[in-house]
Amino acid sequence: MFTLIQLPYALDKLEPIISAQTLSFHHGKHLQTYVDNLNRLIVGTDYEQMSLEDIVCKANGGIFNNAGQILNHNLYFTQFKEVSQNQESEIDNLAIGKAIIRDFGSYDNFKSEFEKAGTALFGSGWVWLAADKDGKLIITQETNAGNPLTKGLRPLLTMDVWEHAYYLDYQNRRAAHLQALWAIINWQEVSRRYTA
């Protein structure tokens, strides 16, 4: 059975970018519901013995939706750390930083393209930085519970553009939310995912 992941930081440690109230609802209520739903749906099925990644690649319907949301949220919540003002200098010597420069020209170009993709995604979903089999970085938009894993890509970094991820803090200002999130990205973790 799947369980709710533990956050690698206290609820108030992402403030003011993500409030403790938002984090409490998003992690403790929304994600817990997906975990409970998936555990109920997979009882007695072949999915009961599979990893989340395998379920996401093989399932459809309600099982896919709940498994996808768990995987997406697990990657989302574990990519953050306390607020930092020197993000660009932090990634300069990491493998992911070098790949961003190689594939997007600069950190600023990457951020601009990523924010544009997240802002332009209609309705609910996720914007992702993913890598193909050769390590080339790609930005993808995924609706609802979508994950680039289903396209043969490796998910590295994501921003949740479902309104419950930001509405208490930013109301309908999705673009402002996306711009603010850069200050809490744990680039060491994103780089680890890239080189794994």
Side-chain angles (χ1 to χ4, degrees), residues 12-161:
D12 63 348
K13 291 302 183 184
L14 303 184
E15 292 186 337
I17 310 302
I18 301 175
S19 69
Q21 183 183 28
T22 290
L23 201 51
S24 176
F25 280 113
H26 196 181
H27 172 263
K29 304 285 187 198
H30 286 278
L31 183 51
Q32 182 68 65
T33 299
Y34 296 129
V35 171
D36 293 343
N37 286 344
L38 182 64
N39 285 334
R40 179 177 47 80
L41 290 168
I42 62 174
V43 170
T45 72
D46 292 341
Y47 298 115
E48 208 170 3
Q49 305 304 320
M50 292 184 189
S51 68
L52 273 177
E53 292 81 2
D54 285 342
I55 296 173
V56 166
C57 289
K58 295 175 181 177
N60 53 40
I63 291 176
F64 169 80
N65 286 333
N66 286 281
Q69 289 289 43
I70 297 169
L71 179 60
N72 295 355
H73 281 91
N74 287 355
L75 291 166
Y76 173 79
F77 287 125
T78 58
Q79 73 186 6
F80 295 134
K81 65 174 187 172
E82 293 183 42
V83 177
S84 171
Q85 301 303 319
N86 301 307
Q87 290 290 52
E88 192 163 358
S89 62
E90 289 178 20
I91 68 170
D92 282 346
N93 294 318
L94 297 174
I96 192 65
K98 293 171 183 173
I100 285 171
I101 301 301
R102 179 195 68 213
D103 294 335
F104 296 98
S106 72
Y107 183 59
D108 286 340
N109 285 345
F110 159 67
K111 287 197 303 184
S112 177
E113 287 189 39
F114 197 92
E115 290 168 21
K116 188 187 313 177
T119 303
L121 181 62
F122 181 77
S124 299
W126 303 79
V127 59
W128 292 88
L129 177 66
D132 69 12
K133 60 181 176 50
D134 299 317
K136 178 175 172 36
L137 299 179
I138 299 164
I139 294 170
T140 72
Q141 296 171 309
E142 304 291 340
T143 58
N144 299 318
N147 186 296
L149 201 60
T150 62
K151 300 172 179 172
L153 302 171
R154 185 164 14 118
L156 306 173
L157 169 88
T158 190
M159 292 187 185
D160 187 344
V161 296

